[in-house]
Amino acid sequence: MKRNFTMAACAAALLAGTAGAKDIEMQSIFPESLPLLGKPAWDISKRVDTLTAGGIKFDVKAPGEIVSTGEVWDSVSTGAVESSWYSIGFAEGVVPSAPLFTTFPFGPDIKEYAAWWYYGGGQETWAEITEAKYNIKTLHCSTLVPEASGWFRDEIKTLDDLKGKKMRFFGLGASVMGKLGVEAQSMGLADTMSALNTGAIDSAELGFPFLDNMVGMYDHAKHYYFPGWHQQTSFLSVIINLDTWNDLSDQERAIIETACEAQVLKTMAEGEAVQLEPLAKMQAENGVIVHEWPQEILSAYETAWTEVAAEKSAADEDFKTTWESIQTFRENYSEWKNIGYLK
């Protein structure tokens, strides 16, 4: 018994002794104060710390604490920053196909998107595009519910009402809006709020009701549009310098992967559970008017997206390969979707 106790004590000491050697710096692009967007970075850090008994600690830094959001991808690539809590759509300027792995217009729901990422070739395709060239390992680690598609100061009744609007818009949806005469800009949360306050933009899509209520979007506009055709679901990810990732043991990598997969499920459930109360509150207390896009405008968005996808496929081979992979998967999946689920 004494021998077994001594062996256990030695094992515990060995594990504790390795903890300091496994600190991994992580730059978040969202603050901890934002549930579903930023807080999951700190949640995954705590979960991995617990599962490894302190063997791995992600030291999460607030946005801008090390580098700006625009510098994160390159910094993780070079190893200047070891990892980041990130939306890989922000890497579009470097990797044109990146938004297809995060969220894209008229895209799938979370079930279908996850099926493509984990079992339909999505994860492998992204690895082929980024691991050798950019030295980055990517783990999807959270998911977001459909977003609203915009806040406008004036009601949008026709396509002409969109023309000339200056609008914050994320990812590939910005290119769609550009085709319809909108001056669309992609920017982060802080820049969006600043631009609305100064009048640099007069409309914005930002998030879902829970987030939009939290940051007070109703102070800037009252007309709130659905559905979020541009962002039916979104993945958030941990990106890790590949050298840092390879320095971990097989067990440590498996723990991080499993923790991320569990958090995808947890954030999916949380996101669905927290939307109705803030949506009702904004309508009852803040004068928000909820609209559904007329079919004419929704069809125009979809037509413009078809054009954007074709143009980007022609301009970038990785985009083309990824887009073809997604389309093929969705065509095949549609048979199961049609017979397996209630209409």
Side-chain angles (χ1 to χ4, degrees):
M1 183 174 180
K2 182 178 180 181
R3 182 172 179 269
N4 289 341
F5 176 81
T6 302
M7 290 176 65
C10 288
L14 180 62
L15 183 60
T18 63
K22 298 291 183 178
D23 280 1
I24 301 174
E25 200 168 52
M26 178 185 286
Q27 168 79 66
S28 177
I29 65 168
F30 299 113
E32 186 179 8
S33 59
L34 291 181
L36 296 171
L37 277 177
K39 186 174 178 292
W42 281 262
D43 291 343
I44 201 68
S45 174
K46 293 174 185 175
R47 185 181 295 268
V48 169
D49 186 14
T50 299
L51 290 173
T52 61
I56 301 173
K57 294 180 180 291
F58 281 103
D59 182 13
V60 188
K61 304 295 187 182
E65 193 170 338
I66 309 173
V67 296
S68 68
T69 297
E71 297 172 310
V72 164
W73 179 265
D74 288 341
S75 297
V76 174
S77 178
T78 63
V81 176
E82 290 178 293
S83 69
S84 175
W85 181 253
Y86 196 62
S87 170
I88 56 178
F90 280 108
E92 182 181 7
V94 182
V95 189
S97 61
L100 293 177
F101 298 90
T102 302
T103 187
F104 59 90
F106 297 92
D109 63 18
I110 183 54
K111 300 189 303 294
E112 188 176 353
Y113 211 2
W116 173 73
W117 172 258
Y118 290 112
Y119 296 103
Q123 191 169 203
E124 292 77 10
T125 301
W126 179 246
E128 289 172 6
I129 293 170
T130 59
E131 289 193 8
K133 186 173 182 179
Y134 298 102
N135 202 40
I136 287 177
K137 172 71 178 179
T138 301
L139 301 172
H140 281 343
C141 210
S142 183
T143 186
L144 300 174
V145 296
E147 295 198 353
S149 66
W151 290 84
F152 294 85
R153 293 194 175 104
D154 302 312
E155 185 176 357
I156 306 299
K157 296 180 179 178
T158 69
L159 289 169
D160 285 341
D161 293 335
L162 288 170
K163 293 177 180 177
K165 297 290 184 190
K166 295 179 181 178
M167 188 174 188
R168 183 271 184 192
F169 222 98
F170 175 74
L172 293 167
S175 298
V176 171
M177 297 303 282
K179 283 190 171 291
L180 299 177
V182 175
E183 295 180 34
Q185 305 173 47
S186 181
M187 56 182 71
L189 173 63
D191 290 338
T192 298
M193 302 311 294
S194 175
L196 284 168
N197 286 332
T198 62
I201 58 174
D202 51 31
S203 55
E205 67 79 30
L206 186 66
F208 30 81
F210 185 83
L211 174 63
D212 289 348
N213 174 63
M214 178 180 290
V215 301
M217 288 296 290
Y218 48 78
D219 287 333
H220 305 285
K222 299 299 184 185
H223 297 278
Y224 196 25
Y225 279 83
F226 293 86
W229 54 270
H230 66 301
Q231 226 164 322
Q232 278 291 283
T233 193
S234 308
F235 280 118
L236 297 177
S237 310
V238 170
I239 59 171
I240 306 177
N241 177 270
L242 196 56
D243 296 328
T244 299
W245 177 254
N246 289 337
D247 282 343
L248 300 173
S249 69
D250 290 345
Q251 182 183 34
E252 289 166 339
R253 289 193 293 265
I255 286 172
I256 296 171
E257 288 172 337
T258 303
C260 278
E261 289 163 4
Q263 188 160 267
V264 166
L265 174 62
K266 189 173 182 180
T267 51
M268 177 190 70
E270 182 183 1
E272 295 290 350
V274 297
Q275 303 305 324
L276 285 177
E277 184 177 341
L279 184 61
K281 180 260 182 191
M282 288 189 289
Q283 292 177 88
E285 300 178 17
N286 305 111
V288 170
I289 304 168
V290 172
H291 301 270
E292 289 188 52
W293 287 115
Q295 189 55 51
E296 175 197 8
I297 295 180
L298 206 56
S299 295
Y301 288 146
E302 189 164 15
T303 298
W305 163 237
T306 301
E307 295 174 5
V308 168
E311 291 167 1
K312 290 187 177 293
S313 293
D316 183 78
E317 189 62 32
D318 289 335
F319 191 105
K320 181 176 182 289
T321 298
T322 305
W323 184 233
E324 288 175 351
S325 171
I326 291 170
Q327 287 182 300
T328 299
F329 183 87
R330 298 192 74 186
E331 287 168 6
N332 294 334
Y333 177 83
S334 65
E335 182 176 355
W336 164 244
K337 185 177 181 179
N338 288 335
I339 66 171
Y341 290 92
L342 291 169
K343 305 296 186 289

